[in-house]
Amino acid sequence: MENTLDSALISALRSQRPGLMRSLGPLAVLIALVAISAVIAPGVIELDSLLSFLSDAAPIIALVIGGTLPILAGSIDLSVAGVASLTGVLVVVLNPIFGPWTSLVVILLAIAFGATQGFLHSWLQLPSFIVTLGTLSMLSGLALLLSNATAEPIPENDFFVAYLSNNTAEIPNTIIALIVIVAVLGFLMRYLRFGRDIYALGTGERAAIMSAVNVVAVRTVIFAISAGCAAVAGLFLISITTFSSPTLAGNLLLLSIVGVVLGGTAISGGVGGLLPAVVGGLITSWLRIVTVIIGVQPTAQNIVFGLTALIAVALTTDRSKLGIIK
C-alpha cells in the first residue's frame, strides 16, 4: 500500500515539474540576467536606472501583453508593430481634428481595427499568420503614405501623450499606465468566462466549440485587445521619443514574439498568462542591456534575438498537441 502511495506521489510530482519549470523558469532567468549585469555594471541596479529601464521597456511589455492573448488562443498577431508605428503617425495627422483627445481616438480606432481583423480571421477561417502578415504590410504602407515617409514632432496639446511623458511621485507615468493595463486584463482573465474561453481555444478548438465557446466572438475580442495594447505601445514610444515616425516600431515585432515565448507562453497555445508575459517582456528588454554590456554591436543584436526566439519556441512548443509539425 505504501509503495502504491509513493508511486502515485512521485507521478504527481513529475507531472507538476514541467508546469513549475514553465512558470518559475522565466523568473529565474530574469533574476540571473539582472544579477550578471549588476556584477559587470553595478550602476544598472540603482533606482534611477531601474525606473528608466522600466520606462524604456514599457512599449515592448505592452506589445508582449497584447501579443500573448492571440497566442494563448492558438493564433498569432503579426500586425502589432504596424499598429504601433501607425499610432504615432495618426496622433500627428488627426490632431487638427480631435485636438487633446487625439490619442484616445487613435486607441479606439486601433481596437476597432483589431476587432475587424479577428472577426475576419475567425469567420472566414483564414490563418491568423496570413491575415496579420497582410495587415502588417498594409499598415506599414499606410503609415508611410500619411507621413510622407518623414518624422514629425508630437503635438504638445495631446492630453494622454503629455501624461505619459511625465512622472507621478518620481515614477514614470508609462509604468503606472502599464500596471493599470495588466490589472484590468488580469481581472478579465481571472474572473470572467472570457479567460477560460481563451485557454479552451488554445488547448483544443474543437473541444472548445463543443463546450459552447463562441469562437468568433472570443477571437474578435482577443485581436481587439491586442491592437489596443499595440496602440498604447505606440503612444509609449512617442512619449519617449517626442516624435512620430512611420517605422518607429518596425524592429519591435521580433522582440514582442521573443518576449511572449520567453515568458513561458507556449507558441502552440493554451499555456501561459499575463504575468508570464510581463516577465517575458522584462527579459527581452533586459537582454538588450546585456548585449550592450558585453559589447554586441547593434547591427548584430537581431542575430541574438533570432537565436533566442528559435530556442524559446523549441522549448515551449507542445508537440503532442500539434501532432505533426509542418
Side-chain angles (χ1 to χ4, degrees), residues 6-22:
D6 290 342
S7 299
L9 180 59
I10 292 173
S11 299
L13 290 174
R14 286 177 177 175
S15 65
Q16 292 176 2
R17 190 177 303 166
L20 290 174
M21 288 298 294
R22 191 185 294 275

Side-chain angles (χ1 to χ4, degrees), residues 66 69-70 77 79-80 83 106-124 128 131-132 135 139 194 214-231:
L69 298 185
D77 188 358
S79 67
V80 290
V83 172
V106 172
I107 292 176
L108 294 177
L109 290 174
I111 292 174
F113 163 78
T116 303
Q117 184 172 240
F119 176 79
L120 293 176
H121 150 55
S122 185
W123 185 56
L124 297 177
S128 58
V131 173
T132 57
T135 54
L139 292 171
F194 172 69
N214 190 331
V215 176
V216 175
V218 173
R219 292 200 188 279
T220 298
V221 175
I222 288 171
F223 278 85
I225 294 174
S226 178
C229 288

